[in-house]
């Protein structure tokens, strides 16, 4: 076997004692091997096989997961330069994000979190976008627990980049400004407050949850494609997938982007929309662009006409018309060559 990578790590177990370990990556006739050898406090040497197989991607995934777990348990590499740079950077960044998320969950401020969720719903409705595009649940939890006081502190939370902070930072800070805070920024202290064993257990639960979500998503996708192939109507789609109207619309939009023929569903949704309103919206798309829906809504209806209307339904048909608009313009661009 050709040894391609080797590094030593150390974990301090008391002020004057530490345990050592080595992680290695080897290759033999196209087969990869990742191994871990640890010297226990009583002197015993324990070996673990993390991976053995032909896939480079699977090997890296096994390495990343296991070395991340060991680092969370207290092991640190003795030679930073010897670690695979892209793996080390990813592990450390991922570890910090997960630690902050975990701490915010076990120290949840549910009342403030719910207040932030209500703000997000209103903001998403105003912008006609999915709530998670405004802010994820994880980000709102971290805001509610760590309570940033300034824009600089807010930007230290994972998921709150420059664009989000510019768009929503002022409002978020105003919502939480009256909350008492007992912990400081920067958030380097979080790692010391987390129990490694409990944290690792949470990580495994998160992996299971994400895997289940992905499986559910694949199941819904399969049901939708089967229903579309049969020519089922909108009501049948909703019944088979148990999706809310908004979520079903997002799926239709996603499948339309992927090239599936969603025209029957687009026309079905637009069927009850007056032709004059569709024409005004189409002209507004041509004049104002199709990125944002709010200017299109304002071009179609005067403020008085919006009173008493269900804005969600109005944004719904505008979103569907935008799908049609984009498809028509894409076809025209192809014909123009």
């Amino acid at each position: 076997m050709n040894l391609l990578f080797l590094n030593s790590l150390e974990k301090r177990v008391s002020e004057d004692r530490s345990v050592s370990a080595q992680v290695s990556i080897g290759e033999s006739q196209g087969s990869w091997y990742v191994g871990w050898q640890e010297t226990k406090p009583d002197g015993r040497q324990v070996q673990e096989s993390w991976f053995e197989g032909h896939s480079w991607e699977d090997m890296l995934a096994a390495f990343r997961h296991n070395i991340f777990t060991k680092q969370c348990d207290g092991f640190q590499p003795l030679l930073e330069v010897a670690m695979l740079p892209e793996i080390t950077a990813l592990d450390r960044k991922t570890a910090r994000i997960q630690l902050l998320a975990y701490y915010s969950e076990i120290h949840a401020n549910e009342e403030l979190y719910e207040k932030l969720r209500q703000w997000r719903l209103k903001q998403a409705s105003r912008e006609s976008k999915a709530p998670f595009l405004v802010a994820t649940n994880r980000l709102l939890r971290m805001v509610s627990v760590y309570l940033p006081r300034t824009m600089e502190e807010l930007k230290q939370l994972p998921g709150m980049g420059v664009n989000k902070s510019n768009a929503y930072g002022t409002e978020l800070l105003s919502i939480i400004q009256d909350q008492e805070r007992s912990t400081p920024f920067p958030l380097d202290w979080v790692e010391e407050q987390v129990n490694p064993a409990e944290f690792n257990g949470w990580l495994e639960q998160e992996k299971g949850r994400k895997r289940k979500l992905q499986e559910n998503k694949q199941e819904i996708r399969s049901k939708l494609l089967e229903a579309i192939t049969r020519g089922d109507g909108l009501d049948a789609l909703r019944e088979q997938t148990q999706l809310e109207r908004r979520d079903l619309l997002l799926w239709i939009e996603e499948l339309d982007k992927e090239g599936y023929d969603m025209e029957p569903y687009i026309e079905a949704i637009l069927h009850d929309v007056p032709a004059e309103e569709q024409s005004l919206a189409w002209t507004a798309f041509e004049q104002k662009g199709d990125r944002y829906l709010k200017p299109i809504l304002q071009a179609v209806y005067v403020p008085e006409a919006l009173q008493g209307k269900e804005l969600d339904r109005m944004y719904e048909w505008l979103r569907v018309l935008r799908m049609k608009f984009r498809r028509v313009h894409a076809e025209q661009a192809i014909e123009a060559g």
Side-chain angles (χ1 to χ4, degrees):
M1 178 179 294
N2 298 317
L3 186 62
L4 302 179
F5 171 76
L6 177 68
N7 199 1
S8 297
L9 300 93
E10 190 175 78
K11 173 185 176 181
R12 189 165 295 279
V13 294
S14 65
E15 291 186 5
D16 57 352
R17 291 189 63 198
S18 61
V19 295
S20 60
Q22 285 187 330
V23 60
S24 60
I25 297 177
E27 184 271 339
S28 177
Q29 298 181 345
S31 182
W32 296 99
Y33 173 81
V34 183
W36 172 269
Q37 180 174 295
E38 179 180 336
T39 303
K40 295 294 185 179
D42 60 6
R44 290 182 299 112
Q45 287 194 341
V46 177
Q47 294 186 344
E48 300 175 15
S49 176
W50 290 355
F51 179 83
E52 188 169 0
H54 296 281
S55 171
W56 166 262
E57 290 78 11
D58 290 347
M59 182 275 289
L60 283 182
F63 177 92
R64 290 188 176 109
H65 169 73
N66 286 284
I67 201 68
F68 171 63
T69 301
K70 294 297 185 183
Q71 287 180 317
C72 290
D73 194 38
F75 280 97
Q76 294 299 321
L78 297 181
L79 298 176
E80 295 287 349
V81 68
M83 291 294 282
L84 295 177
E86 73 280 6
I87 294 176
T88 303
L90 176 63
D91 286 342
R92 289 182 174 177
K93 181 178 179 181
T94 303
R96 181 175 184 277
I97 293 173
Q98 298 285 49
L99 279 166
L100 294 180
Y102 172 67
Y103 183 91
S104 67
E105 285 200 9
I106 63 175
H107 294 84
N109 183 335
E110 293 296 345
E111 183 177 350
L112 181 55
Y113 172 65
E114 183 59 30
K115 189 174 181 180
L116 291 170
R117 284 185 68 253
Q118 293 304 316
W119 164 82
R120 180 182 62 180
L121 284 174
K122 293 178 182 178
Q123 187 65 38
S125 178
R126 284 195 292 267
E127 298 183 36
S128 185
K129 61 171 60 172
F132 74 88
L133 293 177
V134 175
T136 62
N137 290 342
R138 173 171 288 189
L139 177 57
L140 294 185
R141 283 204 178 278
M142 286 192 281
V143 171
S144 68
V145 170
Y146 297 117
L147 299 172
R149 290 287 184 255
T150 66
M151 200 71 76
E152 289 69 28
E153 291 182 349
L154 187 62
K155 292 176 183 177
Q156 294 180 39
L157 299 180
M160 180 56 74
V162 175
N163 292 335
K164 273 197 191 306
S165 59
N166 289 341
Y168 310 124
T170 301
E171 286 189 64
L172 284 171
L173 293 175
S174 67
I175 293 173
I176 64 176
Q177 64 180 349
D178 295 332
Q179 299 287 319
E180 292 187 10
R181 189 174 81 179
S182 59
T183 55
F185 275 77
L187 303 174
D188 302 331
W189 52 268
V190 172
E191 183 173 359
E192 298 178 358
Q193 301 299 315
V194 170
N195 181 296
E198 294 176 357
F199 176 53
N200 285 335
W202 178 82
L203 285 175
E204 291 302 316
Q205 290 178 354
E206 282 292 287
K207 284 174 59 180
R209 182 184 64 82
K210 290 180 180 178
R211 184 167 55 251
K212 184 64 175 177
L213 286 175
Q214 187 62 29
E215 291 172 355
N216 290 342
K217 185 175 181 180
Q218 290 298 331
E219 183 180 353
I220 291 174
R221 179 186 178 84
S222 297
K223 286 182 178 180
L224 281 173
L225 292 178
E226 290 173 4
I228 290 168
T229 301
R230 292 193 300 267
D232 293 351
L234 280 171
D235 290 339
L237 289 184
R238 288 192 63 194
E239 182 177 350
Q240 293 169 43
T241 60
Q242 297 298 304
L243 290 172
E244 298 295 332
R245 285 182 62 94
R246 179 183 181 85
D247 293 331
L248 179 58
L249 183 61
L250 291 174
W251 270 103
I252 291 175
E253 188 171 21
E254 183 65 29
L255 293 173
D256 182 68
K257 290 178 182 178
E258 294 179 14
Y260 291 96
D261 181 14
M262 307 306 294
E263 185 172 358
Y265 301 99
I266 292 175
E267 295 302 330
I269 295 172
L270 293 175
H271 180 267
D272 295 328
V273 180
E276 181 181 358
E277 294 179 13
Q278 292 189 47
S279 178
L280 288 172
W282 193 278
T283 301
F285 279 130
E286 292 177 329
Q287 295 175 346
K288 300 177 182 294
D290 60 14
R291 183 175 182 182
Y292 299 109
L293 291 178
K294 188 173 182 179
I296 310 302
L297 181 73
Q298 294 171 337
V300 176
Y301 303 103
V302 296
E304 293 77 14
L306 293 174
Q307 294 180 1
K309 298 278 189 179
E310 292 187 46
L311 287 181
D312 287 346
R313 290 298 178 90
M314 302 178 83
Y315 274 121
E316 179 181 287
W317 76 258
L318 285 175
R319 182 184 292 274
V320 172
L321 185 67
R322 180 172 63 182
M323 292 163 57
K324 183 176 181 178
F325 176 84
R326 287 173 172 173
R327 187 179 66 249
V328 168
H329 276 251
E331 292 171 352
Q332 291 174 346
I334 293 173
E335 292 174 0

